[in-house]
């Protein structure tokens, strides 16, 4: 299957959509926007994965398998243990392939904002101290830095398995949302 761009027509009406990209690329935001445009169920994987005090929830994989069986949804393509289940059911993967500087700038800004405002994330969790970036090898900023190339390779390996829409930069995201995503299904309904 060819890699699709922001103006390419979608080969089918997307019903089960994965959004891939590096930490800070805007996966969750794009999931929300797609859910609104296509009237799809939006499932946030972080809220299913993280329990209190940043502990993984034991029922995570079971809950993901349950919603993956539904007819329509949109979610992030993350968490190694559930990627195969999600990929097996998904019909479209949207890849946020933003430049490294864009992704890291967004990730740093988001992390600082969440920490400064003491934003509650999932199940009572908050961003840890910013100083922990120096002591915690799994800190979100370090994670984003070290996984950028790995995420790109993971998505490129899927091009023959699923329809992949590659979006580079926010202008392409907006173009795709307003164009191919908004129009798919309309022409088939006429």
């Amino acid at each position: 299957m060819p890699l699709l761009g922001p103006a390419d027509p979608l080969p089918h009406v997307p019903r089960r959509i994965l959004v891939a990209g590096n930490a800070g690329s805007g996966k969750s935001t794009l999931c929300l926007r797609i859910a609104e445009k296509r009237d799809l169920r939006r499932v946030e994987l972080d809220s299913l994965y993280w329990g209190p005090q940043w502990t993984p929830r034991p029922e995570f994989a079971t809950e993901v398998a349950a919603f993956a069986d539904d007819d329509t949804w949109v979610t992030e393509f993350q968490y190694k243990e559930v990627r195969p289940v999600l990929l097996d059911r998904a019909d479209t993967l949207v890849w946020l392939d933003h430049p490294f500087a864009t992704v890291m700038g967004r990730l740093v800004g988001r992390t600082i904002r969440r920490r400064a405002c003491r934003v509650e994330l999932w199940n009572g969790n908050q961003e840890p101290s910013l100083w922990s970036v120096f002591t915690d090898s799994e800190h979100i900023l370090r994670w984003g830095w070290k996984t950028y190339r790995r995420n790109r390779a993971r998505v490129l390996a899927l091009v023959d398995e699923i329809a992949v829409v590659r979006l580079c930069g926010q202008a392409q995201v907006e173009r795709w949302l307003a164009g191919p995503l908004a129009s798919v299904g309309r022409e088939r309904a006429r």
Side-chain angles (χ1 to χ4, degrees):
M1 204 171 279
L3 193 60
L4 301 171
D8 294 327
L10 292 167
H12 54 265
V13 176
R15 300 174 50 79
R16 292 175 303 278
I17 303 172
L18 295 170
V19 177
N22 206 63
S25 64
K27 295 183 301 294
S28 297
T29 300
L30 184 55
C31 282
L32 285 170
R33 294 183 69 192
I34 291 170
E36 290 171 2
K37 271 199 178 300
R38 300 302 307 178
D39 194 27
L40 300 174
R41 177 181 176 198
R42 188 318 191 209
V43 180
E44 186 178 23
L45 289 187
D46 282 332
S47 70
L48 297 180
Y49 185 81
W50 293 113
Q53 299 175 351
W54 293 108
T55 56
R57 295 175 60 248
E59 53 276 299
F60 172 65
T62 304
E63 291 175 352
V64 170
F67 89 72
D69 277 341
D70 290 348
D71 289 334
T72 61
W73 44 261
V74 57
T75 194
E76 303 89 356
F77 188 56
Q78 55 190 22
Y79 294 107
K80 184 179 182 176
E81 69 184 277
V82 295
R83 278 191 209 119
V85 171
L86 292 170
L87 191 57
D88 187 49
R89 290 287 295 149
D91 57 38
T92 307
L93 188 142
V94 180
W95 175 26
L96 295 174
D97 186 25
H98 300 320
F100 182 76
T102 299
V103 170
M104 289 308 296
R106 286 179 175 183
L107 186 58
V108 168
R110 179 187 83 182
T111 303
I112 291 171
R113 186 174 52 259
R114 284 178 173 176
R115 180 63 188 165
C117 297
R118 305 241 188 253
V119 173
E120 183 177 319
L121 300 170
W122 310 280
N123 299 307
N125 295 309
Q126 294 181 349
E127 292 283 356
S129 161
L130 293 175
W131 292 111
S132 66
V133 73
F134 300 110
T135 59
D136 180 1
S137 64
E138 297 300 308
H139 189 282
I140 190 66
L141 295 178
R142 290 173 75 172
W143 178 258
W145 181 280
K146 70 183 176 184
T147 59
Y148 183 77
R149 282 191 178 92
R150 196 176 344 159
N151 284 325
R152 295 185 87 241
R154 179 181 302 120
V155 174
L156 285 171
L158 299 174
V159 171
D160 292 332
E161 295 181 41
I162 188 170
V164 176
V165 178
R166 179 178 180 231
L167 305 174
C168 305
Q170 196 59 38
Q172 287 193 4
V173 170
E174 299 305 327
R175 182 175 181 188
W176 182 75
L177 286 168
L181 185 67
S183 64
V184 71
R186 273 193 269 159
E187 64 277 358
R188 289 178 177 91
R190 292 181 192 163

